[in-house]
Amino acid sequence: MSQRHSDSSLEEKLLEYRFHSELRLDARGNPASGLPMVRGALQLRDNEGFQLDTPVPPAVSPKDEEPRAVVLSTQSPAALKMGTQQLIPRSLAVSSKAKTPARHQSFGAAVLSKEAARRDPRLLSAPSFSLDDMDVDAGPGGALRRNLRNRSYRAAMKGLEAPGGERGPLQLSPKLQALAEEPSQPPARCPAKNKRTLGRKRAHKGSFKDDPRFYQEIRERGLNTSHESDDDLLDEPSSPDGTGKADAPIVVKSYRPAQITWSQLPEVVESGILDRLPAEERKRQEAIFEILTSEFSYQHSLGILVAEFLQSGELQATMTQMERHHLFSNILDVLSASQRFFEALEQRHKAQVCVEDISDILEEHAEKHFHPYVAYCSNEVYQQRALQRLMSSNAAFHEALREIEKRPACGGLPMISFLILPMQRVTRLPLLTDTLCLKSQGHPERYKAASRALKAISKLVRRCNEGAHKMERTEQMYTLHTQLDFGKVKSLPLISASRWLLKRGELSVVEETGLFRKLASRPTCYLFLFNDVLVVTKKKSEDSFVVQDYAQVDHIRVQKTEASDPSLLGGGGSRGSSVPHPFQVTLLHNSEGHQEKILLSSDSASDRARWIVALTRKERQSPANKGDLPQVEVTKAYLAKQADEITLQQADVVLVLEQEDGWFYGERLRDGETGWFPEDFARCITSRVAVEGNVRRMERLRVETDV
């Protein structure tokens, strides 16, 4: 032990001698006179790993021409004389190589360099340097390594290793003073983000119509699901990394506010009304103005659809008149209705700086002028099918469409994003009107008018949904009527205006008894579940099915079983091990008036759950307190692929009723539609205030629709 300490002491003396001689320092560690105080170019030499206790230079006398306070050895005259070829204790170096090259200086080094430059202006012109910039890597024994400087400062914060092996805090000279950390600049605030002014000092020049935006790129603040105040909606600063609070509503990054806010309008700012307007009234004016500006953006995008796609001669030459009608339907009538609606809103806006109300305009247009929306939404199923067929089988159409979508006027957006605009707008209007209701609660007459408008618009949405469903279901029933062969089974009049398909699919038959022994040759069956009847078939081909039996939904009982259930083993067999997700269906009264049981098995737990939910649809009761149910907000649009799934738009809020194996079964807030969708298309809403606000909003929308 003593020999090792003796060798270490001898090595330190030799290194100290070499250090002073090569750097031309005097006995106290100060540079010899006449040396220029500038950084020289880096000279790569064979560097040994030094372990040296570098003495801290004494304080400079006040008599010196340029006093300088020494901070660390990296700012010592020796380090400045040698440029960036610095000597550091070996215990501060880390031998492992950085995984990825970093090209930045550590925070500690940046602060110290800034302070040193402030005290010595000559250092401002010195080039900055980091060992990260060196592409040098060698084995142990003296070569420089990358990222050593960054690691050395982190190691220094943990403390140096004492000769005895004990690790303690870094001991600095009493002459060194702790540097006060410079306060970081506050994050830049977006326009209208001061809670006291709310954008009043940032009046926009000109009209909101000077900068038209695509409706696809905006998200109205009235759709906010957390029911924050307008102050929060306008003033909440974004976090530096672009992510908001955990409870903040999920918004697509490409979304932008709809035009400007009412408080930023030149005529509003110049009138001085903001100084005497109550906060609640200002919020109501913001809600009114947002309906106006979002309608303008929507109308602008519809104009692009008509001018660039509908009226395109190149595109029209690639399809038939019927295909063109299915694709664009009555979009011209929808555009005309939007133009009349916007003109009425704009006229009211121009007549008054503080708009009295627009509820009468909303109610009138929803009841008398928005009927083109019902026809357009009813054509949705034909529209989607026509577009899909043209894209897959018409090369000329595909090429012409691709060229049109590249035009600057289209903003890089696909045609389908323009085609679905009427559906998006008509489903957003109830939520925007509901926000107007909330902002009008302090005025009874205005609140009644807004409630009447909400009722009219909610009924419009219901008619649009019913129209879309009716067309889809009618066509679907006609198709199934040609595919189902009842054979010897008593025929069932399948086509009915009140019947539609809930779910279809193939399942494995685990146990056949009675009538179901007919399926023994092929242990599978194909089920068609309608809203009032279950049809059990045997699949012959993709579009041909032989009916085996059927029963009314009211006469069906379903029981979930497990593979480990003793009754599934049939008295000691091993059948249960090959049945991953079984469930039993009992037909209390089948086509022949008998009771039949069939044990089925699905491929996954989620598929079994979906079948059980569908088969017990009429028995399921809605929870009494929906505020206790989890809620999710849709982060990206989802298009239903099966009959029991639900199509969702971005920012839709859904009450989760079931959760199974990566799937949610829920109720869409805006219209009460239910269905399954993947978990990764939504994100949980954790804010209790948001959850309760969503439930209240859902109840209001239901009441207005049912009245």
Side-chain angles (χ1 to χ4, degrees), residues 226-411:
S226 62
H227 293 264
E228 297 172 290
S229 67
D230 283 347
D231 295 351
D232 297 329
L233 293 174
L234 294 174
D235 308 335
E236 185 66 31
S238 57
S239 57
D241 59 355
T243 58
K245 299 178 294 183
D247 296 341
I250 304 167
V251 180
V252 179
K253 293 181 180 179
S254 62
Y255 278 157
R256 299 185 294 174
Q259 310 300 330
I260 61 176
T261 65
W262 177 79
S263 302
Q264 295 170 327
L265 292 175
E267 57 267 32
V268 175
V269 175
E270 293 169 3
S271 68
I273 194 174
L274 293 175
D275 296 328
R276 58 181 184 275
L277 196 67
E280 288 302 318
E281 177 60 21
R282 186 193 62 78
K283 296 174 184 179
R284 193 180 72 90
Q285 292 297 323
E286 296 287 3
I288 292 174
F289 185 69
E290 186 171 46
I291 295 177
L292 170 69
T293 55
S294 62
E295 186 67 27
F296 175 70
S297 295
Y298 167 66
Q299 179 184 308
H300 168 71
S301 294
L302 285 185
I304 298 297
L305 174 61
V306 171
E308 300 296 332
F309 297 97
L310 175 64
Q311 298 177 349
S312 170
E314 298 88 347
L315 198 64
Q316 186 174 353
T318 64
M319 54 183 166
T320 66
Q321 188 65 25
M322 182 61 70
E323 289 173 333
R324 184 170 180 265
H325 173 70
H326 284 166
L327 198 58
F328 297 103
S329 186
N330 63 329
I331 191 63
L332 290 176
D333 296 335
V334 174
L335 176 59
S336 178
S338 174
Q339 290 172 341
R340 288 196 300 269
F341 180 50
F342 173 74
E343 289 171 0
L345 293 173
E346 186 180 31
Q347 185 177 1
R348 187 72 57 89
H349 168 69
K350 289 181 177 179
Q352 304 168 326
V353 175
C354 243
V355 178
E356 179 68 22
D357 201 5
I358 62 169
S359 298
D360 56 325
I361 299 177
L362 291 168
E363 183 181 5
E364 178 187 359
H365 282 259
E367 291 180 345
K368 300 179 180 179
H369 306 300
F370 280 173
H371 56 273
Y373 282 94
V374 179
Y376 190 89
C377 294
S378 300
N379 184 64
E380 182 182 6
V381 60
Y382 298 105
Q383 182 186 73
Q384 293 178 356
R385 185 176 301 131
L387 180 60
Q388 194 174 34
R389 182 173 59 252
L390 288 169
M391 291 292 290
S392 60
S393 61
N394 192 329
F397 173 86
H398 187 275
E399 182 63 26
L401 180 62
R402 186 173 61 177
E403 292 300 322
I404 294 174
E405 291 175 344
K406 291 180 180 179
R407 296 175 183 175
C410 299

